[in-house]
Amino acid sequence: MASAISPVLSETQLATLALHGEERTAAVGDVLFQIGDTRYPFIAIREGEAAILDAAGHEIVRHGASGFLGEINLMSGQTVFLTAVVTQAMRYIALDRDDLRALLFEDGTLGDLLLATFTARRELLQQQDVGMEIIGPRSSASTRRVVAFAGRNRLPYTWRDPEHADDPTAATLLAALAPDEAPLVRLPGGMELRNPSSGAVSRALGIGLELAPREEVDLVVIGGGPAGLGAAVYAASEGLATLVVESTALGGQAGTSRRIENYLGFPAGITGSELTSRAVAQARKFEARTATPYRALALEPGSGSHVVRLEDDHEITARAVLLATGAEYRRLPVAELEDYEGVSVFYAAGPPEAQRCAATRVGVIGGGNSAGQAAVWLARGGALVTLLHRRPDVRETMSDYLVRELDRYGVAVRDRSEVAELHGIDGELEAVTLRDGERLSFSFLFLFLGATPCTEWLGDVVARDDDGFVLTGARAGAGGLLETSVPGIYAAGDVRSGSTKRCATAVGEGAMVVSFVHQHLSRTPA
């Protein structure tokens, strides 16, 4: 792991950075940035050394000559989670975040190195006791909501749950709160929030754009998954004022994938978080704006423009609208599932879950590629994994390379298996019962059961199929392939009826829709 988080820069790369940055010096003991800072520069070390410390002052790693400091918050603008202290007198190059972003696109090799390293460092932080503290019981739906939000956004966090562990301090803090004030969320830098909304946590950490009450744009993209981000890149690069609105986390389901191995151009595979980071950086390079978490509540079509109404009384007027809301995870139709969700039942398998599940019995439910990827990832992390699916043969729905990986890493595959009941205490899973009555011991369960479209908020504004997916093209009575039944409103990606549910397809549709938008705008007065 050390090489992934501590690579060194070549002399040529250091020289390139020096052309764009500022040469500085620092003495032993100087603090380069600290927990709670809202901004810090990218630092490339010419000479000397710096230590990275957590909130307790414990050292996580040191970086020396030709190394560099920073992680994914340099790109996203998030609050700083760590402190950097000089341990050997330093001579270094400091580069402002905005200048770094521009340079990453000018120098592809340097950009690849930095983005991969930033992503690896963030994944390491997710396994450390750093970032924000979430103090609340797992029996609280509000607590589970905040924990899920942190996980989806790949935020480092520590969950202190007095119901699960002997933590007198956490118990005392919770006892001082009113029932509707849990959880207590402590942010880097000392700010405390009580039962905050996802938006409140996001704004306090400096994540994403804070929208004005009224916004006017050429194109508003509802959904920040591969389709939405693909459209944002192409639309903004072609001069359209573009705004992406996402209700949870940029990247969609693809952003939670441990590794996408069949995406064109990445023969060694690419993690969902790295793909998302690259896409967001690319969109911002062309001045597309991304706003999270904002939930769309209603769409009101108009003759020259359309209005999208968001929660908290925000509205966006746009000449064209792209629906790229994707789909939500399907849940097991079993009693008391919500008692286990976020505790021992999950819908994504990332570093925190893999670490937690090592040396335990784990069940992965689903027969698609996402289920196969999760099963392999968890097995590689030391879990004893069983994949359960309801079809006669997993090859009917899973790529051949993943079927081979399941066998390679010792994942047991159970055909024609459906879970009927969960067994456990206080959210801690102990076993499941299958529909045929067989009981299997599992400590954790990961669900990959497909998804339902996020289209309920649309009402009858646009035509949808029987399952709720948005109709486009000839099936919607529209002229353009991706246009809905309302001119100027489009759909792309998983939310579109008949689409191929693949990351690359979603990106392609997002890019393709921009040409239809241009045609529409040329016919519609501003």
Side-chain angles (χ1 to χ4, degrees):
M1 190 65 181
S3 60
I5 66 170
S6 302
V8 295
L9 299 165
S10 68
E11 284 300 321
T12 300
Q13 290 169 333
L14 285 168
T16 299
L17 290 166
L19 288 174
H20 294 80
E22 176 185 354
E23 294 267 3
R24 299 178 185 175
T25 59
V28 173
D30 284 354
V31 176
L32 300 170
F33 54 79
Q34 61 185 349
I35 294 171
D37 284 351
T38 57
R39 195 177 183 94
Y40 69 103
F42 172 78
I43 293 174
I45 303 173
R46 287 282 202 183
E47 299 172 358
E49 183 184 69
I52 305 300
L53 312 176
D54 64 16
H58 299 141
E59 183 177 311
I60 295 177
V61 68
R62 290 194 180 198
H63 298 293
S66 299
F68 55 91
L69 311 186
E71 56 108 10
I72 205 69
N73 55 10
L74 261 175
M75 307 301 298
S76 65
Q78 295 169 9
T79 298
V80 178
F81 300 121
L82 301 167
T83 296
V85 177
V86 177
T87 51
Q88 295 179 13
M90 275 178 51
R91 183 167 63 90
Y92 66 94
I93 303 163
L95 188 62
D96 183 76
R97 184 173 70 203
D98 294 334
D99 294 332
L100 173 67
R101 218 182 250 128
L103 179 59
L104 296 185
F105 289 96
E106 295 176 12
D107 189 324
T109 302
L110 178 61
D112 288 344
L113 173 65
L114 297 189
L115 286 173
T117 305
F118 291 162
T119 300
R121 289 175 178 175
R122 172 53 63 90
E123 291 183 353
L124 177 64
L125 292 186
Q126 288 179 276
Q127 302 171 42
Q128 308 288 321
D129 290 332
V130 300
M132 64 182 185
E133 278 187 297
I134 303 171
I135 304 169
R138 65 191 57 207
S139 58
S140 163
S142 295
T143 298
R144 296 196 302 269
R145 172 182 52 77
V146 174
V147 170
F149 173 77
R152 284 292 302 273
N153 283 273
R154 300 179 292 281
L155 299 173
Y157 70 93
T158 301
W159 183 6
R160 298 176 60 184
D161 174 14
E163 291 183 350
H164 181 250
D166 184 15
D167 190 337
T169 302
T172 300
L173 289 169
L174 284 178
L177 301 179
D180 61 350
E181 291 182 325
L184 176 66
V185 179
R186 288 175 158 178
L187 303 180
M191 181 184 293
E192 293 187 352
L193 305 174
R194 298 184 179 191
N195 191 13
S197 65
S198 298
V201 174
S202 182
R203 307 294 170 256
L205 288 173
I207 304 172
L209 170 73
E210 184 168 2
L211 293 176
R214 304 290 179 269
E215 299 273 355
E216 292 186 11
V217 295
D218 293 323
L219 172 65
V220 61
V221 180
I222 311 299
L229 292 174
V233 168
Y234 281 86
S237 69
E238 295 176 12
L240 298 180
T242 305
L243 173 63
V244 180
V245 176
E246 168 58 48
S247 63
T248 54
L250 293 172
Q253 291 191 58
T256 66
S257 176
R258 180 62 204 141
R259 182 161 294 274
I260 303 170
E261 298 197 63
N262 54 1
Y263 194 81
L264 184 67
F266 295 92
I270 185 171
T271 67
S273 59
E274 186 176 355
L275 182 63
T276 297
S277 297
R278 290 170 181 266
V280 172
Q282 198 170 8
R284 288 173 177 165
K285 170 192 175 183
F286 295 117
E287 300 184 355
R289 295 184 297 156
T290 57
T292 60
Y294 287 95
R295 184 175 298 278
L297 301 179
L299 173 58
E300 300 174 2
S303 57
S305 61
H306 311 291
V307 175
V308 178
R309 300 199 182 278
L310 310 178
E311 58 189 351
D312 298 328
D313 199 31
H314 289 272
E315 71 174 41
I316 303 166
T317 300
R319 300 175 65 198
V321 177
L322 172 61
L323 304 175
T325 48
E328 290 182 339
Y329 301 116
R330 286 198 176 98
R331 303 167 79 243
L332 271 179
V334 298
E336 301 178 344
L337 174 66
E338 63 275 8
D339 293 343
Y340 297 91
E341 290 176 319
V343 180
S344 50
V345 172
F346 304 96
Y347 295 86
E353 292 81 17
Q355 183 183 38
R356 189 174 182 180
C357 295
T360 67
R361 293 183 181 275
V362 174
V364 175
I365 302 180
N369 282 359
S370 57
Q373 290 165 350
V376 170
W377 165 244
L378 293 165
R380 289 173 62 184
L384 189 62
V385 182
T386 299
L387 178 79
L388 303 100
H389 70 102
R390 60 186 177 84
R391 292 178 180 272
D393 191 333
V394 74
R395 290 176 176 81
E396 294 180 22
T397 53
M398 190 177 294
S399 297
D400 286 343
Y401 82 90
L402 276 172
V403 175
R404 293 193 296 270
E405 289 287 279
L406 294 176
D407 182 63
R408 177 185 176 189
Y409 288 101
V411 175
V413 178
R414 299 285 301 263
D415 304 331
R416 302 181 187 275
S417 298
E418 296 184 59
V419 173
E421 191 175 355
L422 306 180
H423 308 282
I425 300 174
D426 295 330
E428 296 282 355
L429 186 68
E430 296 176 355
V432 304
T433 297
L434 303 184
R435 291 198 181 279
D436 63 7
E438 184 179 3
R439 185 179 174 115
L440 301 176
S441 296
F442 291 129
S443 297
F444 298 95
L445 210 57
F446 290 82
L447 309 182
F448 297 89
L449 301 173
T452 55
C454 302
T455 56
E456 290 185 1
W457 65 281
L458 290 170
D460 58 0
V461 171
V462 297
R464 294 184 286 158
D465 66 16
D466 293 340
D467 294 319
F469 291 90
V470 178
L471 295 172
T472 59
R475 296 176 65 197
L481 177 64
L482 302 178
E483 191 169 47
T484 71
S485 56
V486 178
I489 299 179
Y490 304 86
D494 289 359
V495 76
R496 189 176 71 83
S497 179
S499 67
T500 302
K501 305 302 188 275
R502 287 286 187 270
C503 181
T505 305
V507 173
E509 289 189 2
M512 184 194 309
V513 79
V514 176
S515 63
F516 297 116
V517 170
H518 278 300
Q519 293 172 19
H520 171 74
L521 296 184
S522 68
R523 300 190 299 265
T524 307

